[in-house]
Amino acid sequence: PVFVVTFQFRFCRKCFLTAIRESGTHCPLCRGSVTKKERTYPKRALDVENSMKKASGGCRCCEKQVRFSWMRQHYKTCKKYQDEYGVSSIIPNLQISQDSTGNSRSDAVSDNGEMANHQILQGETSGHPTFKCPLCQESNFTRQRLLDHCNNRHLYQIVPVICPICVSLPWADTNQVTRNLVSHLNLRHRFDYGEFVNLQLDEEAQYQNAVQESCHVNF
């Protein structure tokens, strides 16, 4: 949590920085101007941190009592939470092939006999994958545009669908249903996985690369 001294407001750090990135200099609560220093390096809300270390609450999916300061870590390992928001806790072993542009994709077939890749469209000029919104079937969205579209048009629409971005990833479970697509997109797809990992490499090769690169990092 962070503390905006100018207005005496407290926010989740990630939510605050995301809101500032979208709105520029305006406070996400009162729309007042936030100083450059606070926009870049917001102060930690130590009072809230201490309260979170002392207080506990139930996981929204498994109802296990967890200290609030550890809740985010718990969600990363809670199978019920991951299944509820469309992220499988088990990475399936799928046969991965590459399309003509070098994008990795799965050739798995869904239950209805159609290729799950029908939700992924190839950008005509950019070479980057674009996606079809499974809620309204509007197409040709980049990852960020799909995120913005769903937040603007489908924020309160809760319909079980398959996430088209997840399907495009090498480790995708093409039958994994997401009950709340908008929440899932906001939790899992605010960045491009391709910026952090090479999607053309298998899991073992990525692990070996990470180990080698860690040897050259100066702490």
Side-chain angles (χ1 to χ4, degrees):
V2 295
F3 178 53
V4 180
V5 179
T6 306
F7 306 108
Q8 303 289 298
F9 295 146
R10 292 161 177 80
F11 299 97
C12 159
R13 182 177 186 276
K14 182 178 180 181
C15 295
F16 174 73
L17 294 177
T18 299
I20 287 296
R21 186 173 63 247
E22 296 294 330
S23 63
T25 63
H26 301 296
C27 169
L29 189 59
C30 71
R31 310 302 296 167
S33 294
V34 181
T35 65
K36 183 178 180 180
K37 182 178 180 180
E38 288 192 310
R39 294 198 306 269
T40 309
Y41 303 106
K43 293 184 64 175
R44 291 169 59 186
L46 297 178
D47 56 336
V48 178
E49 284 188 21
N50 291 332
S51 297
M52 292 175 66
K53 291 176 181 177
K54 297 176 183 178
S56 300
C59 168
R60 68 177 67 178
C61 295
C62 73
E63 300 183 357
K64 179 180 179 180
Q65 290 294 308
V66 182
R67 291 190 185 278
F68 288 122
S69 58
W70 283 92
M71 189 65 75
R72 184 170 293 177
Q73 189 65 31
H74 168 74
Y75 285 151
K76 292 179 180 179
T77 58
C78 176
K79 184 179 185 301
K80 288 186 177 180
Y81 178 87
Q82 293 174 354
D83 291 343
E84 174 71 19
Y85 290 94
V87 180
S88 176
S89 58
I90 301 175
I91 299 177
N93 182 19
L94 299 175
Q95 184 66 35
I96 305 299
S97 63
Q98 295 181 2
D99 59 21
S100 59
T101 62
N103 290 324
S104 297
R105 54 175 52 186
S106 167
D107 289 332
V109 180
S110 60
D111 290 339
N112 61 9
E114 297 178 356
M115 299 297 290
N117 288 328
H118 75 285
Q119 297 183 71
I120 310 167
L121 305 174
Q122 193 61 33
E124 294 181 1
T125 58
S126 66
H128 296 292
T130 56
F131 308 96
K132 178 188 292 184
C133 173
L135 297 175
C136 68
Q137 304 307 309
E138 190 172 342
S139 60
N140 204 34
F141 289 113
T142 61
R143 177 201 57 80
Q144 185 60 51
R145 285 189 59 213
L146 178 63
L147 185 68
D148 295 339
H149 165 80
C150 288
N151 277 306
N152 292 331
R153 299 279 299 275
H154 306 296
L155 185 59
Y156 302 107
Q157 187 173 351
I158 301 178
V159 180
V161 294
I162 294 176
C163 172
I165 301 178
C166 284
V167 168
S168 72
L169 300 173
W171 51 82
D173 178 353
T174 57
N175 295 317
Q176 179 66 52
V177 174
T178 300
R179 293 192 178 95
N180 187 334
L181 179 66
V182 180
S183 178
H184 168 75
L185 291 174
N186 286 318
L187 283 170
R188 301 294 178 181
H189 297 301
R190 283 194 169 274
F191 63 94
D192 288 306
Y193 285 93
E195 294 179 358
F196 299 91
V197 296
N198 186 339
L199 297 179
Q200 298 181 32
L201 299 180
D202 60 26
E203 185 178 10
E204 179 61 25
Q206 292 190 46
Y207 173 76
Q208 294 298 331
N209 281 351
V211 172
Q212 293 176 10
E213 290 178 6
S214 67
C215 296
H216 302 290
V217 176
N218 295 322
F219 294 99

